[in-house]
Each structure stands twice: as C-alpha cells, then as structure tokens.
Amino acid sequence: MTRHPTRTVWLWALFAASLFYSVASSAQTTFASEFATWTCTSAPCPWGPTDTSHAIAWPATAQPIAARLGYTVSPAAYLPARFANGAQVKVITGSANVYVGAPSAASHYYLGTINAGQTFTVTGIAASEVVSVQSADQFTYQLTLPTPQTTGSASQLLSWNCTGSPCPWGQSSSAHAIVWPSTTQPVSTRLGYTVSAGAYLPAAAANGATVKITNGTAGLYAGTPNAPSHVYLGELSAGQSAEISGLAADAVLSVQSDVSFLYEVTYAAAPPPPPPPPPPASGTASQFVTWSCTGSPCPWGSTDTGHAIVWPDAEQPIANRLGYTVNYKVYLPAASANGLTVKINSGVAGLYAGSPDTNSHRLLATIAQGESFQVSGLLASEVLSVQNSGSFAYELTFEAPPPVDPPPPPTGTIMDSVNALWRCDTPSCFGADWVGPVINWPSWAAYSNNDRTGNGSRTVYSASTGEKLYPYMGSWANGCQVTAVSGTVLIIEWERGSETWRETFLEPGESHTITLIAPEDGAMIESYDYGPPFSVALNNCTPQPLP
C-alpha cells in the first residue's frame, strides 16, 4: 500500500539471508491468500474510498490489526511485531511482497518479494511496527508463527465514539489501551467521545502506581479529560516500567498503542498527599485562546481552546491556521523564533513548530517550571507556538540569529512541477489513483507509463486537464544535475518496469546528479505523495529521443 517503498541496507541483507532459510514444512497446512479490501471509514484515507489486494489473513490468535490510515481492512492483514519477529512465510505458488511499518505511518517499507519455493523469516521489526504480505494476484503459502511472551494482561482494542462535541478526531477512532479496574473508578468520556471501556485512570489511583510493559510497546499520556491534548509522558517497551507521580488532582492517565501489548500494573496502597501549592510566579501569564472555524478544512471541529503565548505585534505573528482564526496571534514566524529563549516560570508548556498549512506540528520540547528552551533550526516557512491545556507563566528573550549568507541563485534551466495522477488503465490494475507533483517532459523524450504489471501499472495524467504527462525519463537522464529551488524534490533512479528503485530527497538548495547503475535505464523527478508543488534547476539535462 505504498507507491515508493524503501528500506535500509541492513533489512535488505536480512531479507536476502532469509530466502535461504529452509523449513521442514512438508506437514504444514497450505493456505491461499484472501482478496482484501481497504474501506475508508474515517480519515485520512489517502488511497481513495476503497483499495484492494491479495494478502495473508493472519490467524486471530496472533491478534492481527484491521485498521490503517482511516481504512478498515477485511480481513485483518497486519501482523504485530511481537508475533511477526521470528515468523516464517513460505510461498508455494505465485509470489508476494513483504511490507513493514507503523500502522499510522504514511507509507510502509518494502522488504522484498518472496517467489514460489522461497521462505522469508521476519526479523528486526520494531515493537511499534506491523507486517503485511500482499500481491496483486492470489498466492498460496505456509506459515510458522513464533510463540510470544504471554506474561501479563492483554491490552484491549477500544473505540472512541462521538456522542457529543467537539469530537476533534472524527466520528470514531480506535487504539489498543489498558482498561483500568472498576475499583479505580476509571473515566470513559473525553472531548465529546464515549470510550468503549474505562481507558482513563484518575490521578488518585494513578499517582504511586507502577506500569510495566511485558510485551510490545505503549505510550503514557496524562491530562484533564477535557483538555484538547494530553501530555506525552514517554514510551515503554517490553521489560520497561514507570512509576507514576505528580499528576494533578483533576488529571487522568491513559496507556495506549497502535498495536496490542501486554502489561502489569501495581497500585499504591494509598495515594500520596497532594503537593503544596506553588509559590506565586513571576513573568507573563499565558492567554486562554480560541480557534474558530472560519474556512476549511478545520480538522478539530467548529472550535478548539487552550492556553498559549500571545506574541508581541512587533514580531509580526499570525492568527490563522488550517481554516481557523485564533482570537490572539499565537503563531510566531521563524525569522523571529530562531534564537528565541522561552522560560517557564510556572506550569508546563509544549513548543510546536511547522508550516501554517500542515495538518500537524512537531513537538520541539515540553518544558516545566524553571526550565528554558532556545529555539533554532526552524525553516523559513515555519511558525512557532507555545501551548498547554492549562495556564502557565513565562519569560521571553529574543536574540537575533547570526547572519546567514543567502544561497547563490540557482543556475541552469528552471522547471516547475505539474500536479499529476498515476492512474490504472490496464485490465489487471484496480487500485486508486496515486497523487503528487512531477516534472513533465516532451512526449518524444519520456514515457507516460511505468511499464509495471498488475496493480503496480500506472499511466500519468495531468490533474487539471486530464491530458497525458510524460515524467519517466529515458537513459539520457544519466548525468543530469538536479537542484531543488522550492518544495521537496524526490528523484527516482530505476530500471523501467521493475519493482525496485533508488530514492533521493532534496530540500531547497540541495543538489543531486542522476547516476544510473546498470541495469537502471531511466529516472523521474517528483515529490512525495500528495506533496505541494516544487521547482528545480537543471544542468547537463538535455532531453533526447527515446530509443
């Protein structure tokens, strides 16, 4: 379920070695792959309303996952790492591809292809990842799964169903989580959602408790039930434990993961006494701000609220993001943010950075009372915000960043990308369109299709006019120097019609010279799926007629 799968060299080495692992499986049962359907039931659903493929339907005893990126999959096609590591898949007839990644990742890594008679042994999969085995056509296989550690209680797959407002995560959401005992009086409501079981542990029971993960991995989160976001306390992997302390009286704790995990919880005999009230803090108080939907897409509902730093007008802050207008200017441009030191005098706050039009901003740091953080490395197009569900006090020190010489202007031929659709137009291809920008060439110098077979076959069309585009360069691409001028650029070097290729990402100012390695005979200049437009400067890149 990914357009440009890739993986690091060590995983390729593991795959190559695994193909020669022999298994005495004459007595094993041979299964047939099932025709799987990915049906969009929430968001973001990047592959359209439905998508299909043949896949291994993992046994129910392996607790497979049937949800990914807004899709519900039938059958459950994703195997958790605790069952996947050590698993052996032998293809009897046909062939199949092996993919791995986190359930929430935009794309999964392609490990390789298992042909008839070959056996693949899964190793080195991270605890948060899942494995799927897929093909455009039906295949048969034999399967050997390891016996995972079974100490501890099993997490439960819970659903968050919208029964009120604001419901910022859509009509429903799901995750694996600890269901707390009824004696701890757990909470099962949050932000308009009703949870299928008690996933939130009140501070009175959480403080002093020890949570241990015995298999898999899980994240710990804390905050008030009505806070727009909860503080991420950290992640525990198998064998790790954490003692919970310092939660405010009105806070709750949850332990969640995209995949199943095993755990043990030891509760304190009695909750510790509440901490003394903090001394009055100096500094400026955060403001209670409101995000009001005045455009689109407004992914967090009609309104959202929280405490944030309101930036001085002299720093030219902004108050708009993703269709929302904020009643205060809480987003600071990178030109003012780089070099800024934020000190928290009371409470706690998170520092977030990203482009105003991206769906999520990355967390730079979470700082508490007495701690400081100096901002650096923000891209020119990014903004900074400092937020928390509760109030906090702060001090700001603006420092001018050191002067940076502007990059020299690009030389060569400047070309802009064209928004494109990679579309199935062969009888054996049935997937949804791939979407992204690409550099288009004259029809006599490049190909309009990738010459792949099955569900990987695609022909490229303009997203605006519907006309064919010609992005697949011929062998004349060898030696072409590509410099990114704007946006993110992805260069593909490959053998036409093959299922493997090399990827090189470029940010503005970075360059790459296309160097084809036999049997590679072509290249393409594009960006990531659903990426924004980009432009490049080209040198030694003269189109030649196709052979």
Side-chain angles (χ1 to χ4, degrees), residues 33-350:
S33 61
E34 294 191 21
F35 188 71
T37 300
W38 282 250
T39 303
C40 179
T41 54
S42 57
C45 295
W47 311 310
T50 62
D51 203 355
T52 57
S53 176
H54 280 272
I56 287 182
W58 304 104
T61 53
Q63 301 179 11
I65 295 172
R68 173 158 149 69
L69 292 178
Y71 293 94
T72 299
V73 191
S74 177
Y78 298 102
L79 182 67
R82 65 192 185 93
F83 286 93
N85 279 314
Q88 297 167 8
V89 179
K90 180 177 183 179
V91 171
I92 306 303
T93 61
S95 64
N97 298 325
V98 183
Y99 301 95
V100 63
S104 59
S107 62
H108 279 190
Y109 298 106
Y110 165 72
L111 295 186
T113 300
I114 314 174
N115 293 313
Q118 292 180 326
T119 299
F120 177 58
T121 301
V122 181
T123 57
I125 307 304
S128 60
E129 294 181 320
V130 294
V131 171
S132 65
V133 180
Q134 304 178 37
S135 177
D137 303 305
Q138 189 175 60
F139 58 95
T140 61
Y141 62 94
Q142 294 175 348
L143 182 64
T144 302
L145 294 180
T147 301
Q149 181 181 347
T150 56
T151 302
S153 302
S155 61
Q156 295 186 30
L157 180 61
L158 304 184
S159 59
W160 280 250
N161 298 306
C162 180
T163 56
S165 68
C167 296
W169 312 312
Q171 283 299 113
S172 66
S173 185
S174 62
H176 284 266
I178 290 179
V179 175
W180 307 102
S182 58
T183 54
T184 64
Q185 299 181 335
V187 177
S188 59
T189 56
R190 173 156 153 70
L191 291 178
Y193 294 94
T194 299
V195 193
S196 54
Y200 298 102
L201 181 67
N207 281 320
T210 298
V211 178
K212 179 179 181 180
I213 302 301
T214 60
N215 197 294
T217 184
L220 283 69
Y221 304 85
T224 60
N226 291 325
S229 62
H230 278 188
V231 176
Y232 176 60
L233 303 181
E235 184 179 80
L236 297 178
S237 297
Q240 295 180 326
S241 61
E243 182 177 349
I244 310 303
S245 63
L247 299 190
D250 58 348
V252 293
L253 171 77
S254 66
V255 181
Q256 304 181 37
S257 176
D258 290 332
V259 297
S260 61
F261 58 94
L262 299 179
Y263 66 92
E264 295 174 353
V265 179
T266 304
Y267 297 92
S282 60
T284 305
S286 60
Q287 293 280 358
F288 184 74
V289 299
T290 301
W291 284 255
S292 300
C293 180
T294 57
S296 76
C298 296
W300 313 311
S302 57
T303 61
D304 202 358
T305 58
H307 285 263
I309 289 180
V310 177
W311 306 104
D313 286 338
E315 305 301 331
Q316 299 182 332
I318 62 175
N320 299 97
R321 176 159 141 69
L322 291 177
Y324 293 95
T325 300
V326 194
N327 60 336
Y328 292 100
K329 296 178 180 179
V330 299
Y331 296 107
L332 183 67
S336 298
N338 282 320
L340 166 70
T341 299
V342 180
K343 179 181 179 182
I344 298 300
N345 291 344
S346 69
V348 65

Side-chain angles (χ1 to χ4, degrees), residues 300 318 320-323 331 353-361 380-383:
W300 313 311
I318 62 175
N320 299 97
R321 176 159 141 69
L322 291 177
Y331 296 107
S355 174
D357 57 359
T358 56
N359 287 332
S360 63
H361 282 186
S381 60
E382 294 183 319
V383 294

Side-chain angles (χ1 to χ4, degrees), residues 387-411:
Q387 305 179 37
N388 190 36
S389 58
S391 62
F392 58 94
Y394 62 91
E395 294 178 9
L396 303 177
T397 303
F398 287 93
E399 297 181 6
V404 177
D405 294 331
T411 59

